[in-house]
Amino acid sequence: WLKIRARPLLGSAGRGVVRSTTLAAAMALGPFARIIAQVVMVAGSHIGRAAAEAYKEAAAGRGAAGAAAQRLARRRMSLDEAKKVLEADITDGESKIRERFETLHGLNAPSEVSAGSPYLQARVTAAHKVLLEELARAAPKNAEAPKPDDKTE
């Protein structure tokens, strides 16, 4: 980037000594380059640590990503949405609901092939809870229905 120009200097013996202007420029830029390199190293290490910490928090479910996932999980899922997620109805019975839950939850679990989907697992779990709660609410209504008498007279 700097051109080398040599110019002779006359010494006491009358000989010409060649001095490079590039060397002088490099010597003048040396301290600045060192300072810039130190600033880059310090800033880079801080940015690297911050990125590593953010990744650990996201993987552990904390931080901004974890908070967003928890807000979504706390939101109450409607019965219709739960039926669509699990592709089951309360008339199918608890065994069918549990079977669909286990299948979908297992498919979205972390494995050697994929990282899984904690979001979809949370949706499947919420749907499972909603359908089981609705099934429990419907059970007392069915229990209160009049039963035929089995007594023989």
Side-chain angles (χ1 to χ4, degrees):
W1 36 270
L2 291 174
K3 294 182 180 179
I4 298 176
R5 292 187 328 196
R7 51 189 175 140
L9 294 175
L10 296 177
S12 58
R15 276 186 283 164
V17 179
V18 177
R19 184 174 137 205
S20 171
T21 342
T22 307
L23 182 61
M27 289 176 63
L29 290 178
F32 294 117
R34 188 178 68 231
I35 291 170
I36 291 171
Q38 286 176 345
V39 168
V40 167
M41 294 292 286
V42 170
S45 67
H46 285 296
I47 291 171
R49 278 190 222 129
E53 187 175 334
Y55 175 76
K56 287 178 189 174
E57 284 182 2
R62 298 186 310 257
Q70 287 175 354
R71 277 195 305 273
L72 284 174
R74 279 195 298 256
R75 183 177 65 92
R76 174 89 174 139
M77 183 180 285
S78 70
L79 182 60
D80 289 334
E81 189 177 3
K83 288 177 186 178
K84 288 178 184 176
V85 168
L86 287 182
E87 295 176 354
D89 198 355
I90 57 171
T91 58
D92 294 338
E94 186 176 351
S95 61
K96 170 79 174 180
I97 294 171
R98 197 170 306 278
E99 176 188 334
R100 290 295 300 158
F101 165 73
E102 289 171 359
T103 302
L104 293 173
H105 199 269
L107 287 173
N108 291 298
S111 66
E112 306 86 39
V113 179
S114 72
S117 176
Y119 172 76
L120 289 177
Q121 281 187 320
R123 301 274 297 167
V124 168
T125 302
H128 180 244
K129 287 180 182 177
V130 168
L131 286 178
L132 288 183
E133 287 172 3
E134 189 64 29
L135 188 64
R137 277 191 217 127
K141 292 178 185 174
N142 292 339
E144 292 174 4
K147 296 181 181 177
D149 260 346
D150 289 338
K151 296 179 184 176
T152 54
E153 293 180 27

